[in-house]
Amino acid sequence: MKTPNLKLITTEDGSHSLYREDLNETYHSFRGAEGESLQVFIKEGLDAQLSKTNQRSITVFEVGFGTGLNAFLAAKYASQHQVQVHYHSVEPYPVPKEIYEQFNFGKSEEENSLVQALHAGAWEEPVTISAYLELVKYQCTLEEFDGEVRADVVFYDAFAPSKQAEVWALDNLKKCFEMLVSGGVLVTYCAQGQFKRNLAAAGFEVETLPGAMGKKEMVRGLKL
Ligand SMILES: C[S@@+](CC[C@H](N)C(=O)[O-])C[C@H]1O[C@@H](n2cnc3c(N)ncnc32)[C@H](O)[C@@H]1O
């Protein structure tokens, strides 16, 4: 699969993101890529689940590795809180090296090496990124994914339903539901009505939370 044309952009909080020309869509909120990822995926996903369960080891499954920003922030969180994170991510279109080597997510040389390691590491096999994070990237779509992951948290970070409705289809949500342990959650920035109805139809308890970076709402789905 050839990666479509991508442009490096800077969002309003200073963090980089990407713009995909064929879809006329950005990878994050233009108000702030880092701010959005931190609130939706790290705070309301990873941190909320660890606080709820007191686990010291957690498995994340991400839909859309993209810039690797969520994985990077999860790696930082894991080191700061000394919890083991097993991070699985699917991505049909890996970001080319000439783009990812420019990412400004790292605030130090050490953090920048972490960002680069997340991208440069092998696909389809576990890669030790740090003492606290192991990463497995799969080059495929969620629809194609047939791995055996038991996830505590799903980061559902696909392009908006208005751009890629098929990725938000009921079958994909059911697949994530099946992958989750009982008590596990799916988090996403999206709060579209049809998506919430699909989430409920897939078996989730749907919770609407305040959104990130000026967005009214985001969603967390719980598997009871
Ligand atoms: C909104 S971007 C976010 C990516 C990433 N989480 C980040 O923070 O940069 C959506 C990502 O989903 C990927 N994608 C597109 N179709 C997909 C599919 N069917 N299954 C999984 N990922 C998909 C895109 O290539 C893109 O990298």
Side-chain angles (χ1 to χ4, degrees), residues 26-50:
T26 56
Y27 277 44
H28 303 95
S29 161
F30 68 90
R31 297 253 177 100
E34 183 175 319
E36 181 180 47
S37 288
L38 276 173
Q39 182 165 344
V40 175
F41 299 104
I42 305 302
K43 176 171 176 279
E44 301 295 2
L46 191 58
D47 183 60
Q49 195 66 8
L50 285 165

Side-chain angles (χ1 to χ4, degrees), residues 128-149:
T128 301
I129 298 294
S130 72
Y132 293 100
L133 188 120
E134 181 192 74
L135 172 70
V136 194
K137 294 180 291 184
Y138 309 86
Q139 191 177 352
C140 64
T141 61
L142 173 60
E143 297 88 320
E144 290 161 348
F145 179 72
D146 64 358
E148 299 267 317
V149 174

